[in-house]
Amino acid sequence: MRIVIAGAGSVGSHLARLFAKQHTSCVLIDDDAERLNNLEQQIDVMTMPAAPTNISALQQAGVEGADLFVGVTRMETRNLVCCALAKQLGAQKTIARIDNYEYLRQDNRRYFQQLGIDELIYPEVLAAHDIVNGLKMSWVRQRWDVYGGALVLLGIKLRKECKIFGQPLKDICGADDPYHIVALKRGEETLIPGGMDQLQQGDLAYFMTTPEYIGYIREVVGKEKYEDVSNVIIMGGGKTALRAALATPDYMDVKIIEMDAARCDELNTLLGHSSAMVIHGDGRDLALLQEENIGHTQAFVALTGNAETNILACLAAKKLGVRKTIARVEHFDYISTAQQLDIGTIVNKKSAAASYIYQQTLPSNVRNLRSLMVVDADVAEMQVEPGARVTCKPVKELGLPRGIALGGLVRNGQGILINGNTQIEAGDVVMVFCHEQNMKRVEHFFKVPKLFNL
């Protein structure tokens, strides 16, 4: 597979790192030679200092015959132009990063497809989706719905109130139990647990279950006292905040605190008929927060462009009594620090964007993929083809690589948890958890073996 990326900013460089891990042939184009030189010293990627809209540069980068061309520069128009050129020059598939939400409307997609742009990606919308998912369940760090919610993956921080400490997982996650634990984050280490492993206080545990047992899991992990979120304060009024405010359920009262007066006016216009309230002020001002009744607010979301500010603001909100905090942390080096400080849910828009783009390089039977930054892992929905290797034996006899867990499957629209005796069938959609973001290690299990004439 050959991939060409235009733009070596935060999304482009993170994407290049992902492909370098997979040993995928990748060329990174940017007109900032110094930035490219720094990246070459960190990752194994071919770089080209040139304008991404330069036709000769695109040809030299090998766009003709490229499996995927991605335009993720900071300029929307540049991304659209270079993707259109790449398609005309022979790229099989193109993806452009945009900043105009109107372009995502389904009735507008055909205009871009006529230009040769196959997919549009708006990172702030993806990040807003993660934020809203985090707000819907105050006691969960991360939530991911598989196959439209037939299965649910819940990342939960285990406190002293948890009722299932000190028991081997084989006794609490058996074939007849309503959940499986597919991964644990313990300190700096990610574990794919075995039957004899036990949960410990402070673990971040990933539970796979079906929707009807979410309440049961909440009880066994001791989270019944966590209030459901009905009031939210968002610090920072950027694009992500706007999209999150517009996507929150009607039962949530949302306040956005923004320092820039002109941006406050813009937000009031852009929010339209939304009930969200815009407040001109500094979200770090404790007096202002107390004036806005933060002590009776269930969630605080820090979305400024500064990771340190967001982390510190969330810590302050916790001290003022907020149980659920969400922080935007774009610098990957700070994510571990934020976790250690018990911030809560971490949002990173470049990781969300890169996950979406990375999915486009996987086989067509990969229906959906998400990267879980905290545990350095991918979760994907994989469609099982007739005759695929995964259907030949029960799960316990498949010889799955270390770091791989099959959490559940969806058959005829019904979610089913997987155990060692499960026989996967053609047509099933299987939830695959893969540590260290190496989904290609399990691809061959979902492919039909080739037959050779001897």
Side-chain angles (χ1 to χ4, degrees), residues 37 74 83 135 143 212 214 251 261 307 310 326 395 403 429 454:
N37 184 55
R74 290 181 173 85
C83 281
L135 291 173
R143 171 177 176 158
E212 64 267 28
I214 290 175
Y251 64 81
N310 294 338
I326 299 176
V395 168
V429 176
L454 300 178

Side-chain angles (χ1 to χ4, degrees), residues 179-241:
Y179 61 85
H180 288 169
I181 296 174
V182 295
L184 296 172
K185 180 73 172 183
R186 183 170 292 163
E188 294 297 312
E189 185 180 7
T190 296
L191 305 173
I192 305 298
M196 296 306 297
D197 288 314
Q198 299 181 16
L199 300 176
Q200 297 180 13
Q201 185 174 333
D203 285 349
L204 177 59
Y206 284 83
F207 291 74
M208 174 60 63
T209 190
T210 50
E212 64 267 28
Y213 289 108
I214 290 175
Y216 174 75
I217 292 174
R218 183 175 188 172
E219 180 184 347
V220 298
V221 298
K223 302 286 186 178
E224 307 101 309
K225 294 181 180 179
Y226 278 65
E227 289 184 272
D228 291 330
V229 174
S230 59
N231 297 291
V232 184
I233 291 179
I234 300 176
M235 182 179 78
K239 295 176 183 177
T240 304

Side-chain angles (χ1 to χ4, degrees), residues 37-88:
N37 184 55
N38 291 336
L39 280 171
E40 273 191 327
Q41 296 177 25
Q42 300 171 27
I43 57 177
D44 182 17
V45 62
M46 185 181 299
T47 62
M48 179 177 293
T53 52
N54 185 302
I55 293 177
S56 60
L58 293 174
Q59 291 172 324
Q60 187 179 348
V63 165
E64 182 180 357
D67 297 279
L68 178 66
F69 182 91
V70 183
V72 284
T73 74
R74 290 181 173 85
M75 297 177 62
E76 177 184 71
T77 52
R78 197 177 218 192
N79 296 334
L80 296 172
V81 169
C82 68
C83 281
L85 289 172
K87 191 73 168 187
Q88 292 299 315

Side-chain angles (χ1 to χ4, degrees), residues 365 382-385 387-392 395 397-401 404 406 424 432 439-449:
N365 63 335
M382 301 191 76
Q383 183 90 39
V384 181
E385 299 174 358
R389 291 177 176 88
V390 77
T391 65
C392 297
V395 168
E397 299 177 17
L398 290 175
L400 292 171
I404 304 298
L406 305 183
I424 295 171
V432 180
M439 192 60 66
K440 293 185 183 295
R441 293 166 61 199
V442 293
E443 280 182 19
H444 76 282
F445 286 94
F446 290 84
K447 292 180 179 177
V448 180

Side-chain angles (χ1 to χ4, degrees), residues 311-416:
I311 291 170
L312 291 172
C314 284
L315 289 174
K318 278 184 169 290
K319 287 188 177 180
L320 293 171
V322 179
R323 296 291 291 268
K324 177 73 177 183
T325 56
I326 299 176
R328 173 186 169 190
V329 181
E330 294 299 327
H331 200 303
F332 282 97
D333 290 343
Y334 290 161
I335 290 175
S336 178
T337 300
Q339 286 294 316
Q340 291 172 9
L341 292 172
D342 209 17
I343 291 301
T345 300
I346 305 299
V347 173
N348 183 294
K349 66 180 182 181
K350 63 187 177 186
S351 175
S355 294
Y356 180 87
I357 295 168
Y358 174 54
Q359 182 183 331
Q360 309 306 311
T361 70
L362 297 172
S364 59
N365 63 335
V366 180
R367 298 170 47 94
N368 200 357
L369 178 140
R370 290 294 305 275
S371 289
L372 305 176
M373 296 175 299
V374 175
V375 287
D376 189 22
D378 289 332
V379 183
E381 300 174 20
M382 301 191 76
Q383 183 90 39
V384 181
E385 299 174 358
R389 291 177 176 88
V390 77
T391 65
C392 297
K393 300 176 181 178
V395 168
K396 65 184 178 184
E397 299 177 17
L398 290 175
L400 292 171
R402 186 176 181 182
I404 304 298
L406 305 183
L409 61 84
V410 180
R411 181 176 297 160
N412 299 323
Q414 181 181 359
I416 302 171

Side-chain angles (χ1 to χ4, degrees), residues 130-304:
D130 289 342
I131 291 167
V132 173
N133 263 352
L135 291 173
K136 287 178 180 177
M137 300 177 71
S138 61
W139 52 281
V140 169
R141 291 289 177 93
Q142 290 177 289
R143 171 177 176 158
W144 194 63
D145 290 340
V146 180
Y147 202 81
L151 290 169
V152 183
L153 180 68
L154 305 173
I156 304 171
K157 187 77 168 182
L158 303 182
R159 308 290 188 184
K160 62 181 180 180
E161 296 84 6
C162 178
K163 303 170 185 176
I164 49 176
F165 288 143
Q167 303 174 63
L169 293 188
K170 66 181 181 63
D171 294 340
I172 58 174
C173 300
D176 298 324
D177 289 301
Y179 61 85
H180 288 169
I181 296 174
V182 295
L184 296 172
K185 180 73 172 183
R186 183 170 292 163
E188 294 297 312
E189 185 180 7
T190 296
L191 305 173
I192 305 298
M196 296 306 297
D197 288 314
Q198 299 181 16
L199 300 176
Q200 297 180 13
Q201 185 174 333
D203 285 349
L204 177 59
Y206 284 83
F207 291 74
M208 174 60 63
T209 190
T210 50
E212 64 267 28
Y213 289 108
I214 290 175
Y216 174 75
I217 292 174
R218 183 175 188 172
E219 180 184 347
V220 298
V221 298
K223 302 286 186 178
E224 307 101 309
K225 294 181 180 179
Y226 278 65
E227 289 184 272
D228 291 330
V229 174
S230 59
N231 297 291
V232 184
I233 291 179
I234 300 176
M235 182 179 78
K239 295 176 183 177
T240 304
L242 171 64
R243 304 283 27 130
L246 289 171
T248 51
D250 292 339
Y251 64 81
M252 290 187 188
D253 293 325
V254 179
K255 296 177 182 178
I256 302 175
I257 302 177
E258 167 58 42
M259 292 180 66
D260 186 277
R263 178 59 178 169
C264 287
D265 291 337
E266 288 178 8
L267 285 170
N268 279 318
T269 300
L270 293 168
L271 285 166
H273 298 295
S274 168
S275 60
M277 180 186 298
V278 180
I279 298 167
H280 178 219
D282 188 343
R284 298 168 297 182
D285 184 342
L286 296 183
L288 173 61
L289 292 176
Q290 289 171 331
E291 184 180 327
E292 295 302 327
N293 205 20
I294 193 170
H296 293 87
T297 298
Q298 291 87 37
F300 180 85
V301 185
L303 299 178
T304 76

